[in-house]
Amino acid sequence: TDLPEAIFAPISRIDFANLPLLQKTEFVLLKNYLAELSKYKYGLNVPIKKGVVENNFYALPEGFGYNGFMNFSSLLKSTNVVEADVLSTLTNYFYQWSYASGGGTDTSANSVCTISQLANTSYKGVFSMLFGSYFGDWNTNNNLLRAYLTEGKMLSTCWVGRPNWFFHHMGLNNHLGLSALKSINNGLTNSTAYDSIGIGGNLTHMTLLGDLSLRNQYATLVQNFTADYDFSLNEITLDWSPYTAKNVTSYDIYVANDTLGPYSLLTSLSASLNTYTYSPTPDTLYYFIKAIYLDTTPNGSYYNNSLGSFIAIKALSSSASSLPLP
């Protein structure tokens, strides 16, 4: 029940087994979740930078809604936090963050939602917190907490309130797993301690559902990344379209001899450039490019990276051609 010491690595689960009320197979549910996850990471699904809080436990002295108001104010500014019905709000607006609490069963949170409503409602969000009785035991059949991620309508969730969780690290684009790690370890020896730990701190029930590598801010890929090989000169020219999504400070290009890497930095180029030519080694070469840009949030400024745009080319062949990778 109790953690004997601070954990050293975050763990998360994406688990759609034994959810028959969602009316789709585990394989289809997982496939659709991963598709929506990719769209978010590639900057194709851009949420509204707002958070919605639905606290149905106002009468209880523990102040469970604290988790929504505290975290969202630090990540989004307090003016971008609204109190409203979560499911109906997320059906009409693609908000980035949400918190909801209500008396629960394995399959429902009172005044919030049931698993059947999740299956039949086109809500959409990214990061969420839920709280209520029973469904925090996520290993049950037709479990509400696991079902909240159905079809990728939500990309992460956790049972929050006993104890409290802390996500302010994501304001400077740290990954979701770091916040889970800090929250689970909160108050243990040799760990960072935050005030208002709440009941049940450092217990094994604290679980993150969803992709722990998620970050708060993504941008679109560098577009039209191509590679051309000049056989006579043994030169490869890489080209791409100027990046318009953000105020770019530089482009980083990486190269590998295998599609799975390891990739090493080939060059870092000025934001004013959109082409690069060099003489390669004799092999099939794999490249990716990412844009580096300065991002500013309510928490501060940091240098962010787009995800990579990939391409492959076979060098030292007069018939070489570029091979776009998925």
Side-chain angles (χ1 to χ4, degrees):
T1 304
D2 297 87
L3 294 173
E5 59 187 23
I7 63 172
F8 65 90
I11 297 173
S12 66
R13 294 170 174 84
I14 304 169
D15 184 355
F16 295 107
N18 302 314
L19 298 172
L21 288 179
L22 292 182
Q23 305 168 20
K24 293 187 178 179
T25 66
E26 179 182 358
F27 176 80
V28 169
L29 291 169
L30 180 59
K31 179 181 178 181
N32 292 342
Y33 172 86
L34 293 175
E36 292 301 311
L37 180 71
S38 293
K39 290 177 186 177
Y40 178 70
K41 287 188 171 184
Y42 286 128
L44 301 177
N45 282 350
V46 181
I48 301 170
K49 299 293 185 183
K50 286 191 175 184
V52 55
V53 176
E54 180 182 358
N55 180 19
N56 291 298
F57 287 138
Y58 271 110
L60 299 181
E62 290 177 64
F64 297 117
Y66 165 85
N67 287 276
F69 292 114
M70 171 197 63
N71 284 298
F72 302 165
S73 294
S74 72
L75 294 167
L76 306 165
K77 292 185 178 181
S78 58
T79 53
N80 290 323
V81 183
V82 299
E83 290 187 79
D85 179 272
V86 161
L87 202 61
S88 61
T89 299
L90 296 181
T91 301
N92 295 305
Y93 304 101
F94 182 20
Y95 282 5
Q96 188 176 37
W97 286 87
S98 63
Y99 168 90
S101 61
T105 68
D106 285 342
T107 62
S108 67
N110 188 41
S111 299
V112 179
C113 61
T114 66
I115 189 172
S116 296
Q117 285 177 306
L118 297 181
N120 297 299
T121 304
S122 297
Y123 64 95
K124 194 170 183 62
V126 183
F127 305 103
S128 67
M129 295 173 268
L130 290 173
F131 183 68
S133 298
Y134 297 105
F135 61 79
D137 295 324
W138 49 266
N139 60 326
T140 58
N141 289 355
N142 287 315
N143 173 261
L144 182 73
L145 197 66
R146 289 190 293 115
Y148 210 51
L149 307 186
T150 179
E151 310 280 28
K153 297 174 183 177
M154 190 69 65
L155 298 183
S156 75
T157 195
C158 43
W159 194 75
V160 174
R162 288 181 175 172
N164 301 316
W165 284 51
F166 302 86
F167 294 96
H168 57 277
H169 323 87
M170 297 182 69
L172 292 178
N173 228 30
N174 289 294
H175 59 80
L176 179 62
L178 177 66
S179 292
L181 181 73
K182 295 291 188 181
S183 298
I184 293 168
N185 286 339
N186 189 26
L188 286 173
T189 303
N190 298 323
S191 71
T192 301
Y194 305 116
D195 290 339
S196 303
I197 295 174
I199 294 174
N202 314 132
L203 302 184
T204 58
H205 72 282
M206 296 181 70
T207 302
L208 177 66
L209 301 183
D211 180 358
L212 58 75
S213 73
L214 278 164
R215 295 185 280 114
N216 211 42
Q217 181 69 32
Y218 290 92
T220 56
L221 303 177
V222 177
Q223 299 297 309
N224 301 315
F225 186 42
T226 62
D228 292 306
Y229 180 59
D230 188 318
F231 180 73
S232 62
L233 297 176
N234 184 32
E235 287 184 345
I236 287 179
T237 299
L238 304 171
D239 289 287
W240 57 94
S241 296
Y243 198 74
T244 57
K246 296 285 183 178
N247 186 19
V248 173
T249 57
S250 63
Y251 296 103
D252 284 357
I253 300 175
Y254 291 77
V255 64
N257 291 328
D258 185 89
T259 182
L260 296 179
Y263 284 84
S264 58
L265 181 65
L266 176 63
T267 186
S268 183
L269 300 173
S270 164
S272 62
L273 301 177
N274 66 316
T275 186
Y276 178 71
T277 300
Y278 85 112
S279 296
T281 56
D283 209 336
T284 298
L285 301 175
Y286 299 85
Y287 301 92
F288 79 82
I289 186 173
K290 62 182 181 179
I292 314 299
Y293 57 92
L294 186 65
D295 227 340
T296 301
T297 73
N299 299 72
S301 298
Y302 58 90
Y303 286 99
N304 203 352
N305 303 274
S306 71
L307 295 189
S309 297
F310 287 80
I311 201 165
I313 193 166
K314 187 171 180 60
L316 295 189
S317 169
S318 59
S319 60
S321 58
S322 59
L323 307 169
L325 301 180

